[in-house]
Amino acid sequence: MQQKKSNEMLQTLKQQRVLLAISVFTIVTVLLLINNYQLLPSSNESGRYAQLLGIALALFVGIIAYFNITQSKRKQAQLLDTQQQTHAILKSVGSGLFLINTDLKISNEYSKQLESILGQHDLAQKSLLQILSQLVSEPELLVIQGFLKQLFDSKVNEKLIQELNPLNQIDVRIVNTQGKRSNRCLDFQFTRIYEHKQIVSVLVNVTDITRSVQQQQQTVFRSDLQANLLLAIMHADRDEVAQFSKQTKLQLETIHEVLSQESGSTKSQKLKIEPLTQHIHQLRCNANQLNLQMLVYLSDEFEQHLLYLKQQNYLNHDDFLPLDITLDQMDHVLQTINQVHTRLQQAEVPVTAAPTVSIASPETTLQRWQLDVQQLAKRQHKNIHLICTNASFQNLPIQWVDKIQDLTWHLISNAVVHGIENADEREAMAKTEHGQVTVSLLDMGQEYRLSIEDDGKGIDYEAVQAHAADLGWCQDELGAPINKVQMLQYLFQAEFSTLGQMSSDAGDGMGLYWVQTWVDEMRGHIDVVTQPHQFTRFIITIPKPTNAAALSDQDEMEPNSAASDADDEEHYIV
């Protein structure tokens, strides 16, 4: 289209030059004829008539030439105006527009957005196939090559072209100038341009539909989560659901109160983040134990935005508005849980085969952990047995029951995800196919001693050091021997995880941080005993409330090494 307009302008300029030459020749001819007419004697009437006729004819030709020049200039002005308008459209249009001919090369004129969409610059006269070869796989490129040839085959009708289009919603890999990769979903649409019933070129319109596709996937995902929510409520213990609903309502109210606090400075705004993180993380863990994935998903959204806020240098009240929106969605989900739970109770539907006992009952807690461990192990592609010996929580102080049960589950799930190997790895190390997590809680008179042990691979200090170096925490220590006490301290830091990707089970780097926080609140301490490729044991010692003051001096202890019963065991107090 642009090439055609350029050709028209060149042709118009040529016409103007020819007409100008004719006009100049006509003016000269007229002047010569007038001069000769004056020189002729008056008696030569025939000669004078002939010259007058020539003058008239020359003037007529000049008038026509002048008229044509005026028309040509007007047409040229229109062409320039059209070209400017086209350029403005190509500059401002939100999609990638360009023409291709039978050689499949991109036209000289294309929309500005095209370079941003394709992640490449200076696209004029580049082969479309060459550009696509950097975005798609080789098998996909072969299919695309055959399709592009069909575009110029007049025997293939328009409807079939649309149906065959392999570039309709295609996933591509874009690499920008900084070498950063990103995945996008692009939509290519093709429109043939005809001249004299022949296909001369094809107009291509490229749109980045990544966001809309993600929104569609998000809608489907949320629908699946809603279905999961209903099934989870139907199969959960009614008393557990009631207790969860009660606790979650209190947690959401507390979060609302924190968010509604008036804070002016960035420092005061950031003071909100830690209590919000603590409450939402606890809510997420409780929801995950009941397999309420809709609440887990919303909690993850909430936590991710908190991490974003934590990284900002300046904050104001408006930065927390996305959290209010997510919190409203969680309120709505909790209302749905209550409504479904109430209807099930009214209908007297047997929602579970498990005995109906209080959630505070130790038997119910252990039964739930057994089931949760099997589900978690299945998601991690592992085989694991949970053994609870002397793990009765009923004699704990009432104010500590929920907190100690929560930190116990954190360490159990940590053992399943991080500690125990999969079946193939265990077989290669001559271990049993099934891993084992052992939990015990003992009343030692002056204190409680909680132990969670797994027979997995032990703590990988090198992996901990590598991740800490990535975070810039110990880059100066890379050449020195590993300080194992320091590495253990990193494990208990917020947002520290050796997993490469976060999931609903682990990877947010907050599990051990909250274990340490809760133990500190109860004025206790944590012992870590580990042996490479053999086991890891967390021993949590918590003084009884009556003795908390007498033991308060222990809270200020720095991490130190303690004696070990075995030569290969590493025993540390954190």
Side-chain angles (χ1 to χ4, degrees), residues 122-178:
D122 301 325
L123 300 174
Q125 295 304 311
K126 282 188 177 180
S127 169
L128 178 59
L129 279 174
Q130 182 182 355
I131 293 171
L132 291 175
S133 66
Q134 303 175 39
L135 307 179
V136 300
S137 63
E138 288 188 12
E140 288 175 321
L141 188 65
L142 290 174
V143 175
I144 293 169
Q145 185 176 7
F147 168 76
L148 293 178
K149 290 181 180 179
Q150 299 295 322
L151 287 174
F152 293 90
D153 187 350
S154 57
K155 297 178 181 178
V156 182
N157 60 45
E158 296 284 349
K159 185 177 180 180
L160 186 58
I161 287 292
Q162 300 301 325
E163 293 175 355
L164 293 175
N165 186 3
L167 290 167
N168 180 21
Q169 296 191 11
I170 186 169
D171 294 321
V172 299
R173 302 173 303 278
I174 304 292
V175 181
N176 61 19
T177 53
Q178 289 78 30

XYZ file of all heavy atoms in Angstrom, residues 122-178:
458
model
N 14.559 -2.616 13.503
C 14.923 -2.494 12.083
C 14.388 -3.686 11.286
O 15.137 -4.484 10.712
C 16.442 -2.397 11.923
C 17.015 -1.204 12.681
O 16.331 -0.165 12.734
O 18.132 -1.330 13.223
N 13.073 -3.797 11.230
C 12.435 -4.959 10.614
C 12.210 -4.794 9.105
O 11.853 -5.773 8.444
C 11.087 -5.230 11.295
C 11.150 -5.534 12.805
C 9.748 -5.630 13.382
C 11.908 -6.829 13.050
N 12.382 -3.597 8.565
C 12.111 -3.361 7.150
C 12.950 -4.284 6.267
O 14.159 -4.431 6.471
C 12.381 -1.900 6.790
N 12.277 -4.928 5.324
C 12.893 -5.823 4.341
C 13.516 -7.076 4.957
O 14.294 -7.763 4.304
C 13.949 -5.073 3.509
C 13.371 -3.969 2.637
C 12.288 -4.493 1.692
O 12.479 -5.492 1.006
N 11.134 -3.810 1.675
N 13.163 -7.366 6.198
C 13.593 -8.625 6.795
C 12.578 -9.717 6.490
O 11.375 -9.460 6.410
C 13.749 -8.484 8.309
C 15.022 -7.788 8.739
C 15.205 -7.868 10.247
C 16.516 -7.228 10.685
N 16.696 -7.311 12.175
N 13.049 -10.933 6.361
C 12.160 -12.058 6.071
C 11.323 -12.385 7.310
O 11.855 -12.526 8.422
C 12.971 -13.278 5.655
O 12.155 -14.432 5.618
N 10.020 -12.508 7.116
C 9.135 -12.851 8.227
C 9.487 -14.230 8.787
O 9.452 -14.447 10.000
C 7.677 -12.823 7.754
C 6.624 -13.197 8.796
C 6.689 -12.277 10.008
C 5.226 -13.172 8.192
N 9.864 -15.153 7.907
C 10.246 -16.492 8.366
C 11.507 -16.448 9.226
O 11.615 -17.162 10.222
C 10.473 -17.410 7.158
C 9.215 -18.002 6.523
C 9.589 -18.764 5.267
C 8.482 -18.910 7.503
N 12.457 -15.595 8.842
C 13.677 -15.479 9.631
C 13.384 -14.939 11.020
O 13.956 -15.390 12.022
C 14.670 -14.563 8.914
C 16.008 -14.424 9.641
C 16.945 -13.468 8.929
O 16.635 -12.986 7.842
N 18.079 -13.195 9.531
N 12.485 -13.996 11.105
C 12.107 -13.430 12.401
C 11.399 -14.474 13.249
O 11.691 -14.642 14.439
C 11.209 -12.192 12.204
C 12.017 -11.071 11.546
C 10.614 -11.725 13.531
C 11.182 -9.896 11.117
N 10.479 -15.215 12.632
C 9.727 -16.232 13.372
C 10.620 -17.385 13.815
O 10.333 -18.040 14.820
C 8.578 -16.753 12.511
C 7.436 -15.760 12.244
C 6.438 -16.366 11.271
C 6.744 -15.378 13.535
N 11.695 -17.636 13.081
C 12.592 -18.739 13.453
C 13.232 -18.520 14.817
O 13.669 -19.469 15.479
C 13.691 -18.907 12.395
O 14.551 -17.782 12.377
N 13.300 -17.268 15.266
C 13.865 -16.952 16.577
C 12.826 -17.003 17.687
O 13.163 -16.865 18.864
C 14.503 -15.557 16.537
C 15.573 -15.411 15.467
C 16.096 -13.996 15.364
O 16.272 -13.311 16.375
N 16.356 -13.540 14.154
N 11.557 -17.202 17.300
C 10.479 -17.156 18.287
C 9.811 -18.502 18.523
O 9.236 -18.724 19.599
C 9.408 -16.143 17.845
C 9.885 -14.730 17.498
C 8.698 -13.874 17.067
C 10.586 -14.088 18.689
N 9.858 -19.397 17.518
C 9.133 -20.666 17.622
C 10.083 -21.827 17.367
O 11.233 -21.637 16.944
C 7.958 -20.706 16.616
C 6.971 -19.570 16.870
C 8.468 -20.640 15.178
N 9.595 -23.034 17.604
C 10.409 -24.229 17.383
C 10.482 -24.569 15.901
O 9.693 -24.063 15.088
C 9.820 -25.405 18.154
O 8.520 -25.716 17.662
N 11.399 -25.440 15.532
C 11.575 -25.815 14.127
C 10.340 -26.507 13.542
O 9.943 -26.195 12.421
C 12.805 -26.715 13.971
C 14.122 -25.971 14.149
C 15.324 -26.836 13.812
O 15.118 -27.922 13.235
O 16.451 -26.427 14.120
N 9.712 -27.468 14.240
C 8.493 -28.073 13.688
C 7.398 -27.046 13.440
O 6.700 -27.105 12.413
C 8.091 -29.080 14.769
C 9.355 -29.413 15.486
C 10.137 -28.143 15.488
N 7.257 -26.095 14.357
C 6.245 -25.049 14.169
C 6.596 -24.177 12.973
O 5.708 -23.780 12.202
C 6.157 -24.179 15.432
C 5.514 -24.869 16.627
C 5.548 -24.019 17.877
O 6.576 -23.348 18.107
O 4.561 -24.024 18.637
N 7.884 -23.902 12.789
C 8.308 -23.053 11.679
C 8.011 -23.699 10.330
O 7.626 -23.009 9.373
C 9.800 -22.757 11.808
C 10.366 -21.725 10.827
C 9.742 -20.362 11.086
C 11.884 -21.633 10.943
N 8.168 -25.019 10.226
C 7.864 -25.719 8.972
C 6.385 -25.597 8.617
O 6.020 -25.379 7.456
C 8.264 -27.189 9.090
C 9.777 -27.479 9.144
C 10.024 -28.954 9.406
C 10.456 -27.041 7.851
N 5.522 -25.719 9.626
C 4.079 -25.574 9.398
C 3.758 -24.149 8.958
O 2.971 -23.924 8.021
C 3.301 -25.948 10.675
C 1.807 -25.681 10.475
C 3.542 -27.411 11.033
N 4.380 -23.167 9.625
C 4.139 -21.754 9.303
C 4.592 -21.438 7.885
O 3.918 -20.709 7.149
C 4.863 -20.855 10.330
C 4.225 -21.012 11.709
C 4.834 -19.396 9.888
C 5.023 -20.380 12.819
N 5.734 -21.996 7.480
C 6.253 -21.760 6.126
C 5.267 -22.234 5.069
O 5.003 -21.531 4.083
C 7.589 -22.460 5.967
C 8.278 -22.174 4.640
C 9.653 -22.824 4.563
O 10.038 -23.588 5.444
N 10.399 -22.516 3.516
N 4.691 -23.422 5.268
C 3.694 -23.920 4.315
C 2.458 -23.053 4.290
O 1.873 -22.805 3.213
N 2.045 -22.557 5.444
C 0.850 -21.708 5.513
C 1.070 -20.390 4.783
O 0.191 -19.918 4.051
C 0.488 -21.460 6.980
C -0.543 -20.383 7.163
C -1.873 -20.631 6.891
C -0.169 -19.113 7.594
C -2.833 -19.643 7.050
C -1.115 -18.117 7.761
C -2.450 -18.382 7.484
N 2.237 -19.756 4.961
C 2.491 -18.466 4.330
C 2.470 -18.573 2.810
O 2.074 -17.624 2.114
C 3.826 -17.909 4.816
C 3.884 -17.507 6.309
C 5.282 -17.023 6.678
C 2.852 -16.433 6.616
N 2.887 -19.707 2.277
C 2.811 -19.908 0.824
C 1.362 -19.963 0.360
O 1.025 -19.496 -0.731
C 3.545 -21.188 0.441
C 5.066 -21.101 0.592
C 5.727 -22.400 0.174
C 7.244 -22.330 0.310
N 7.903 -23.603 -0.078
N 0.502 -20.547 1.191
C -0.912 -20.645 0.830
C -1.586 -19.278 0.776
O -2.604 -19.098 0.099
C -1.657 -21.520 1.850
C -1.167 -22.953 1.953
C -1.406 -23.720 0.664
O -2.426 -23.537 0.003
N -0.451 -24.567 0.302
N -1.021 -18.290 1.475
C -1.622 -16.953 1.484
C -1.710 -16.358 0.080
O -2.627 -15.594 -0.220
C -0.804 -16.017 2.380
C -0.907 -16.224 3.900
C 0.066 -15.322 4.626
C -2.329 -15.970 4.374
N -0.737 -16.694 -0.777
C -0.687 -16.100 -2.118
C -1.257 -17.039 -3.181
O -1.100 -16.781 -4.370
C 0.750 -15.703 -2.453
C 1.266 -14.576 -1.607
C 1.914 -14.836 -0.415
C 1.065 -13.265 -2.000
C 2.392 -13.799 0.375
C 1.536 -12.222 -1.219
C 2.191 -12.479 -0.021
N -1.884 -18.117 -2.730
C -2.534 -19.044 -3.656
C -4.013 -18.688 -3.723
O -4.766 -18.888 -2.775
C -2.354 -20.481 -3.162
C -2.870 -21.503 -4.168
O -3.532 -21.096 -5.159
O -2.627 -22.703 -3.957
N -4.443 -18.123 -4.837
C -5.835 -17.659 -4.978
C -6.837 -18.812 -4.936
O -8.034 -18.590 -4.719
C -5.996 -16.888 -6.290
O -5.619 -17.704 -7.394
N -6.377 -20.054 -5.095
C -7.277 -21.204 -5.035
C -7.724 -21.505 -3.603
O -8.738 -22.166 -3.388
C -6.604 -22.434 -5.645
C -6.273 -22.290 -7.124
C -5.563 -23.533 -7.634
C -5.196 -23.401 -9.106
N -4.467 -24.592 -9.619
N -6.947 -21.044 -2.618
C -7.290 -21.260 -1.209
C -8.137 -20.080 -0.752
O -7.661 -18.936 -0.724
C -6.023 -21.378 -0.336
C -6.386 -21.650 1.116
C -5.108 -22.465 -0.889
N -9.396 -20.330 -0.399
C -10.290 -19.224 -0.072
C -9.993 -18.636 1.313
O -9.280 -19.214 2.123
C -11.765 -19.652 -0.161
C -12.094 -20.786 0.797
O -11.707 -20.764 1.963
N -12.819 -21.783 0.301
N -10.595 -17.469 1.581
C -10.315 -16.712 2.805
C -10.709 -17.492 4.060
O -9.993 -17.484 5.064
C -11.076 -15.372 2.767
C -10.643 -14.433 1.663
C -9.319 -13.752 1.983
O -8.858 -13.856 3.125
O -8.753 -13.119 1.074
N -11.852 -18.161 4.003
C -12.334 -18.884 5.177
C -11.368 -19.995 5.569
O -11.059 -20.200 6.755
C -13.717 -19.463 4.899
C -14.347 -20.135 6.107
C -15.750 -20.626 5.786
C -16.370 -21.294 7.007
N -17.753 -21.796 6.711
N -10.844 -20.690 4.563
C -9.903 -21.760 4.834
C -8.594 -21.210 5.397
O -7.961 -21.830 6.264
C -9.637 -22.557 3.556
C -8.772 -23.817 3.696
C -9.396 -24.783 4.691
C -8.571 -24.485 2.337
N -8.194 -20.023 4.919
C -6.983 -19.375 5.427
C -7.110 -19.135 6.935
O -6.188 -19.393 7.716
C -6.716 -18.050 4.687
C -6.214 -18.324 3.264
C -5.724 -17.184 5.445
C -4.834 -18.943 3.218
N -8.284 -18.639 7.341
C -8.501 -18.368 8.767
C -8.478 -19.657 9.589
O -7.967 -19.685 10.706
C -9.845 -17.650 8.959
C -9.947 -16.314 8.225
C -8.884 -15.316 8.659
O -8.493 -15.282 9.820
N -8.400 -14.516 7.721
N -9.019 -20.725 9.026
C -9.062 -21.996 9.749
C -7.690 -22.644 9.840
O -7.361 -23.293 10.840
C -10.044 -22.946 9.059
C -11.494 -22.490 9.148
C -12.425 -23.393 8.357
O -11.905 -24.304 7.668
O -13.650 -23.199 8.429
N -6.852 -22.466 8.796
C -5.534 -23.100 8.770
C -4.481 -22.326 9.550
O -3.414 -22.869 9.843
C -5.062 -23.252 7.319
C -5.849 -24.218 6.429
C -5.320 -24.159 4.999
C -5.766 -25.642 6.959
N -4.772 -21.076 9.878
C -3.782 -20.173 10.470
C -3.094 -20.772 11.709
O -3.691 -20.870 12.778
C -4.462 -18.849 10.855
C -3.463 -17.818 11.342
O -2.261 -18.057 11.351
N -3.979 -16.665 11.745
N -1.808 -21.175 11.604
C -1.104 -21.724 12.764
C -0.557 -20.638 13.695
O -0.046 -20.942 14.769
C 0.055 -22.505 12.127
C 0.351 -21.752 10.880
C -0.962 -21.185 10.395
N -0.648 -19.381 13.270
C -0.151 -18.269 14.070
C -1.263 -17.595 14.864
O -1.082 -16.500 15.394
C 0.530 -17.241 13.163
C 1.857 -17.708 12.548
C 2.294 -16.771 11.438
C 2.926 -17.795 13.614
N -2.398 -18.260 14.914
C -3.506 -17.758 15.727
C -3.290 -18.225 17.163
O -3.352 -19.410 17.460
C -4.831 -18.291 15.172
C -6.017 -17.803 15.986
O -5.923 -16.810 16.698
N -7.110 -18.527 15.893
N -2.994 -17.276 18.063
C -2.701 -17.571 19.476
C -1.542 -18.566 19.605
O -1.715 -19.696 20.033
C -3.947 -18.104 20.191
C -5.086 -17.108 20.267
C -6.193 -17.566 21.205
O -6.046 -18.514 21.951
N -7.305 -16.867 21.157
N -0.366 -18.103 19.233
C 0.823 -18.948 19.303
C 1.731 -18.456 20.427
O 1.930 -17.253 20.611
C 1.574 -18.953 17.948
C 2.728 -19.958 17.992
C 2.063 -17.566 17.568
C 3.351 -20.218 16.636
N 2.281 -19.399 21.186
C 3.216 -19.068 22.265
C 4.615 -18.906 21.685
O 5.096 -19.770 20.943
C 3.229 -20.172 23.326
C 1.898 -20.274 24.051
O 1.299 -19.216 24.321
O 1.461 -21.406 24.338
N 5.264 -17.806 22.017
C 6.595 -17.514 21.492
C 7.540 -17.177 22.640
O 7.110 -16.850 23.745
C 6.559 -16.337 20.485
C 5.688 -16.676 19.297
C 6.084 -15.052 21.162
N 8.831 -17.241 22.365
C 9.871 -16.897 23.336
C 10.597 -15.654 22.840
O 11.248 -15.680 21.798
C 10.860 -18.049 23.509
C 10.204 -19.347 23.959
C 11.210 -20.496 23.956
N 11.816 -20.692 22.647
C 11.230 -21.371 21.666
N 10.023 -21.909 21.844
N 11.841 -21.519 20.503
N 10.469 -14.568 23.571
C 11.072 -13.290 23.196
C 12.331 -13.076 24.018
O 12.340 -13.262 25.229
C 10.091 -12.120 23.442
C 8.769 -12.358 22.692
C 10.723 -10.802 23.017
C 8.875 -12.298 21.202
N 13.416 -12.675 23.355
C 14.657 -12.311 24.038
C 14.933 -10.848 23.720
O 15.135 -10.485 22.564
C 15.846 -13.185 23.585
C 17.104 -12.786 24.346
C 15.540 -14.659 23.795
N 14.923 -9.976 24.752
C 15.137 -8.556 24.505
C 16.618 -8.236 24.333
O 17.471 -9.117 24.385
C 14.521 -7.708 25.639
C 15.143 -8.005 27.006
O 16.234 -8.558 27.096
N 14.433 -7.650 28.059
N 16.922 -6.955 24.163
C 18.306 -6.539 23.900
C 19.226 -6.813 25.084
O 20.434 -6.941 24.919
C 18.338 -5.038 23.568
O 17.664 -4.300 24.617
C 17.646 -4.764 22.242
N 18.651 -6.906 26.317
C 19.457 -7.215 27.495
C 19.646 -8.713 27.702
O 20.277 -9.134 28.670
C 18.819 -6.617 28.759
C 18.901 -5.106 28.869
C 17.879 -4.401 27.985
O 16.804 -4.943 27.740
N 18.214 -3.204 27.531
